[in-house]
């Protein structure tokens, strides 16, 4: 059967991963290059086998092969073909397989390229990267195998899930499956999980390079740092996209009026993003000044460990979350693997501290170097606060026997000042000079943005009668935006003095300073995303009212009239209760809004789907929360005004654009250096690394 082919391909992929791990370690230890080359080939060969396994599971979902327990669990006849395909990562077994396949793909992509520059890192890199990959594939094979079947014990109602037929059992094939969790039946399934997984799995590459450098003694030079930075940027941008798409998904589906609720799984995504961002800043210091080498390695280790921790939270269900899977046997195995990885990496870092000495000392507290150090401290402080709040239910249950959950107010109050300081530093850091910054010169550079931001914050706050704390937040945002804009203005003006027109000057400025000005665009995107959080924290308005047909409610400059309520059968096994309402702004008709409640019959689970009218200034977010009788009874609506939310989604596009600009290869490539592992015995062979 086709499922048997997928199972055999999975087992072969696991054996190849184990083989690659073992023989690369042996080749590095014994200085035998032929073993390292064999490990590289095994790594590349594992990809097509895992691909076959993934394709078989995907096809089984598409054709609804209910002989497989995983297909029964996440698919049903009422689901559309699109949802059945995305169910590959909608359940635990399929998502872990997908995860392992992506990780193997990342490692193979690194090994496919030319290896002259990082030749002596190769055996250690393969060992570290494929050890992690083998762990994830092993979980699929032995714990969450998607090719397991349902078996029935005659004379009982008991069903057993197993790969091979238990003694005395017969195969059981139901007529239909359970279907995906209603929360996952959204178009966001095609984008959010895969990009998040790409972000998490991608961090194994810089981690493997860091450990390889420590093991091989190459941690004294900076070439591995540059390679790690590029791959970190790849993982970071995917994780950034995953965070943004996840926020949009929550906004469209969860029906609580916002896009970020400090849920444990959301926090699990945020923490490696924070430390990964800190590494991308720290590595600039390492490349420019030969400083913060220990910071850089420690941040890579921490980012990778937090990625594993995020997987642990999501896949084991150890902490309650609307995003996590149910509890499973993965918990103890994952916990041990995370502990061994983190402690082992930390021990190795401490042992190799002498190879990570800085080439320069910090000369002034007012300098770009000190700004980068302070940024790292703030990133780690935020990460610690988020980590503490996320694991607090586990700690409280461990020490008191009662599971106490920490809510959004804790995170907002604890991280708010830290984020504010980080955003301020984000705007000021580019003004600082390397080594030492003259205070007067810094003051002159910031004077106009400072004055303009104060005027704007006072004017906006007076018009909208804001909470006093919001004045400070708005000033901060305006100040940072103006600082960024002035950096572009100064750069364009400098080129215009050479006779270039403004458009040509801007084009050449971006083309020849991609990392610098791409970074500014990234900062601008972060500030735009921050505007959405500011709108949610300080300006959101809401009201709730029961309306009979023809009656209206008012919130701000908007009024809403209830017109009709209709019940009809929907797709994917739903019963849809949909309201028809008319939205007016200052008495003029704007748009028809149709909030609804979807009831999934098989799962017996309702979903409240909002209707949204979006503008750059604010969103009207409408929910149907109650009703008395179809057609004539009163219905209850909850209405939010969410100012500045649209800036979050626009800021996400700006952040992605800035990342691509910053990561785009320079026109003039640096001359590559070649290394060999040990000149006496381990020489590179002709054709190695894709030549």
């Amino acid at each position: 059967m086709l499922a048997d082919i997928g199972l055999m391909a999975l087992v072969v992929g696991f054996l190849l991963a184990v083989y690659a791990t073992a023989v690369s370690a042996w080749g590095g230890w014994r200085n035998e290059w032929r073993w390292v080359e064999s490990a590289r080939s095994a790594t590349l060969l594992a990809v097509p086998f895992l691909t076959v396994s993934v394709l078989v599971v995907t096809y089984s979902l598409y054709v609804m092969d209910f002989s497989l327990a995983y297909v029964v669990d996440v698919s049903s006849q009422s689901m559309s073909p699109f949802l059945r395909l995305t169910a590959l990562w909608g359940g635990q077994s399929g998502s872990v397989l997908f995860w392992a396949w992506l990780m193997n793909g990342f490692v193979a992509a690194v090994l496919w390229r030319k290896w002259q520059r990082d030749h002596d890192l190769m055996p250690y890199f393969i060992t570290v990267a494929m050890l992690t990959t083998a762990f994830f594939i092993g979980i699929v094979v032995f714990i969450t195998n998607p090719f397991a079947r349902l078996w029935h014990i005659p004379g009982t109602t008991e069903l057993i899930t197993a790969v091979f037929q238990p003694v005395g059992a017969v195969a059981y094939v139901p007529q239909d499956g359970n279907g995906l969790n209603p929360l996952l039946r959204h178009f966001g399934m095609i984008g959010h999980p895969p990009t998040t997984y790409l972000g998490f799995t991608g961090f194994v590459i810089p981690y493997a390079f860091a450990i390889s450098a420590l093991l091989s003694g190459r941690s004294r030079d900076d070439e591995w740092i540059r390679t790690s930075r590029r791959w970190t940027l790849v993982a970071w941008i995917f994780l950034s996209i995953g965070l943004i798409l996840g926020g949009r998904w929550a906004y469209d589906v969860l029906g609580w009026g916002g896009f970020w609720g400090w849920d444990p799984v959301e926090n699990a995504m945020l923490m490696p993003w924070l430390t990964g961002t800190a590494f991308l800043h720290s590595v600039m210091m390492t490349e420019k000044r030969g400083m913060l080498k220990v910071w850089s390695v420690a941040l890579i280790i921490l980012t990778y460990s937090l990625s594993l921790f995020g997987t642990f939270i999501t896949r084991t269900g150890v902490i309650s979350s609307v995003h996590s899977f149910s509890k499973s046997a993965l918990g103890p195995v994952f916990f041990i693997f995370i502990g061994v990885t983190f402690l082992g990496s930390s021990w190795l870092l401490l042992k190799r501290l002498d190879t990570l000495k800085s080439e320069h000392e910090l000369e002034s507290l007012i300098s770009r170097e000190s700004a980068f150090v302070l940024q790292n401290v703030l990133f780690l402080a935020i990460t610690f606060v988020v980590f503490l709040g996320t694991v607090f239910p586990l700690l409280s249950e461990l020490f008191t026997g009662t599971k106490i959950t920490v809510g959004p107010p804790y995170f907002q109050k604890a991280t708010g000042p830290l984020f504010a300081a980080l955003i301020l530093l984000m705007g000021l850091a580019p003004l600082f000079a390397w080594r030492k910054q003259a205070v007067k010169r810094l003051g002159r550079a910031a004077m106009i943005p400072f004055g303009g931001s104060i005027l704007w914050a006072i004017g906006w706050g007076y018009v909208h009668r804001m909470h006093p704390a919001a004045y400070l937040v708005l000033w901060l945002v305006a100040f940072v935006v103006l600082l960024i804009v002035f950096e572009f203005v100064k750069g364009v003006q400098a080129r215009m003095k050479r006779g270039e027109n403004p458009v040509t000057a801007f084009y050449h400025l971006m083309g020849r300073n991609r990392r610098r000005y791409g970074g500014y665009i990234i900062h601008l995107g972060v500030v735009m995303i921050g505007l959405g959080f500011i709108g949610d924290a300080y300006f959101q308005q809401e009201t709730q009212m029961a309306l009979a047909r023809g009656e209206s409610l008012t919130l701000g400059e908007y009024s809403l009239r209830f017109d009709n309520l209709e019940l009809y059968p929907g797709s994917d096994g739903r019963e849809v209760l949909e309201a028809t309402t008319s939205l007016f702004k200052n008495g003029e008709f704007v748009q028809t809004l149709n909030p609804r409640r979807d009831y999934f019959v098989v799962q017996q689970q309702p979903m409240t789907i909002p209707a949204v009218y979006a503008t750059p200034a604010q969103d009207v977010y409408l929910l149907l929360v109650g009703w008395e009788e179809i057609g004539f009874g009163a219905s209850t609506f909850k209405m939010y005004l969410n100012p500045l939310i649209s800036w979050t989604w626009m800021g996400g596009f700006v952040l992605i654009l800035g990342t691509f600009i910053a990561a785009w290869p320079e026109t003039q490539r640096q001359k590559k250096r070649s290394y060999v592992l040990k000149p006496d015995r381990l020489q590179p062979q002709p054709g190695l690394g894709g030549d």
Side-chain angles (χ1 to χ4, degrees), residues 262-318:
W262 297 101
D263 181 85
V265 172
E266 293 176 337
N267 296 342
M269 294 172 58
L270 178 63
M271 288 186 287
W273 185 89
L274 289 169
T275 54
T277 307
F279 168 74
L280 291 173
H281 286 83
S282 178
V283 76
M284 295 181 192
M285 283 278 290
T286 304
E287 289 183 299
K288 293 284 187 179
R289 300 278 292 153
M291 301 172 65
L292 298 186
K293 292 183 180 181
V294 176
W295 271 98
S296 296
V297 177
L299 285 169
I300 291 177
I301 294 173
L302 184 58
T303 300
Y304 172 72
S305 300
L306 287 173
S307 298
L308 293 177
F309 176 74
T311 313
F312 170 73
I313 289 179
T314 308
R315 295 298 174 283
T316 62
V318 67

Side-chain angles (χ1 to χ4, degrees), residues 3 10 60 107 130 188 234 326 341-342 346 367 421 438 495 528 553 565 593 614 631 635 669:
L10 175 64
S60 300
V107 179
M130 290 308 292
V234 172
S326 58
T341 299
F342 180 73
S346 301
S367 63
R495 298 200 66 89
M528 293 171 67
L553 64 82
L565 188 67
L593 296 179
S635 296
R669 297 182 179 180

Side-chain angles (χ1 to χ4, degrees), residues 212-395:
S212 302
L214 294 176
L215 289 171
S216 65
R218 276 277 303 278
S219 50
R220 287 185 172 86
D221 71 69
D222 301 336
E223 193 61 45
W224 71 270
I225 283 283
R226 295 184 178 91
T227 305
S228 296
R229 178 185 62 80
R230 288 190 289 270
W231 285 101
T232 302
L233 196 58
V234 172
W236 183 87
I237 188 56
F238 278 121
L239 188 56
S240 300
I241 295 172
L243 282 165
I244 295 165
L245 293 178
R248 183 70 209 196
W249 191 350
Y251 193 64
D252 289 343
V253 172
L254 296 184
W256 49 271
F259 61 92
W260 188 267
W262 297 101
D263 181 85
V265 172
E266 293 176 337
N267 296 342
M269 294 172 58
L270 178 63
M271 288 186 287
W273 185 89
L274 289 169
T275 54
T277 307
F279 168 74
L280 291 173
H281 286 83
S282 178
V283 76
M284 295 181 192
M285 283 278 290
T286 304
E287 289 183 299
K288 293 284 187 179
R289 300 278 292 153
M291 301 172 65
L292 298 186
K293 292 183 180 181
V294 176
W295 271 98
S296 296
V297 177
L299 285 169
I300 291 177
I301 294 173
L302 184 58
T303 300
Y304 172 72
S305 300
L306 287 173
S307 298
L308 293 177
F309 176 74
T311 313
F312 170 73
I313 289 179
T314 308
R315 295 298 174 283
T316 62
V318 67
I319 299 178
S320 298
S321 166
V322 297
H323 303 82
S324 62
F325 296 102
S326 58
K327 290 186 178 180
S328 69
L330 290 178
V333 177
F334 244 114
F335 187 77
I336 293 172
F337 183 74
I338 293 172
V340 170
T341 299
F342 180 73
L343 294 176
S345 303
S346 301
W347 172 82
L348 181 60
L349 172 60
L350 292 174
K351 187 176 180 180
R352 296 291 192 179
L353 280 179
D354 60 322
T355 66
L356 297 170
K357 293 181 179 179
S358 294
E359 299 172 14
H360 300 90
E361 298 293 333
L362 188 65
E363 299 181 23
S364 173
L365 292 178
I366 306 178
S367 63
R368 188 167 294 187
E369 290 91 334
S370 64
F372 276 95
V373 172
L374 182 56
Q375 276 184 332
N376 278 351
V377 171
L378 290 171
F379 275 120
L380 289 181
I382 296 171
T383 303
F384 176 76
V385 168
V386 175
F387 179 82
L388 183 62
T390 303
V391 302
F392 191 80
L394 295 179
L395 297 177

Side-chain angles (χ1 to χ4, degrees), residues 619-638:
D619 285 7
V620 177
Y621 189 94
L622 183 64
L623 299 168
L624 173 65
V625 295
W627 56 92
E628 294 179 4
E629 183 182 351
I630 306 301
F632 300 99
S635 296
T636 303
F637 297 91
K638 191 167 188 177

